[in-house]
Amino acid sequence: MTTASSTQKVKVQLVRSPIGTKESHRATVRGLGLRGVNSVKELEDTPAVRGMINKISYLVKVL
């Protein structure tokens, strides 16, 4: 049985503006919960989140 404290986390920072990118990439940024440039979000390290980070890797930095 796993608890919330034992799950892996990944910190993501938006380092480039999504303005001028594809609509699906902007939606991915919003889906990760990132708002303005330099915003940081701590997310669960799941394959879905990893795929989203990979899709917009040119916009974000993993901390």
Side-chain angles (χ1 to χ4, degrees), residues 25-42:
H25 290 204
R26 293 196 296 273
T28 303
V29 169
R30 286 194 303 268
L32 287 172
L34 299 170
R35 308 224 0 145
V37 175
N38 292 327
S39 64
V40 177
K41 194 78 173 181
E42 192 168 344

Side-chain angles (χ1 to χ4, degrees), residues 2-61:
T2 60
T3 61
S5 62
S6 68
T7 57
Q8 292 283 58
K9 297 283 187 178
V10 59
K11 263 189 171 175
V12 183
Q13 180 179 21
L14 186 64
V15 294
R16 289 189 59 196
S17 172
I19 295 172
T21 61
K22 294 169 81 173
E23 177 58 41
S24 64
H25 290 204
R26 293 196 296 273
T28 303
V29 169
R30 286 194 303 268
L32 287 172
L34 299 170
R35 308 224 0 145
V37 175
N38 292 327
S39 64
V40 177
K41 194 78 173 181
E42 192 168 344
L43 306 160
E44 292 204 17
D45 193 5
T46 63
V49 170
R50 283 286 172 177
M52 292 171 81
I53 292 169
N54 190 46
K55 181 176 180 177
I56 58 166
S57 60
Y58 66 100
L59 296 175
V60 297
K61 178 170 65 173

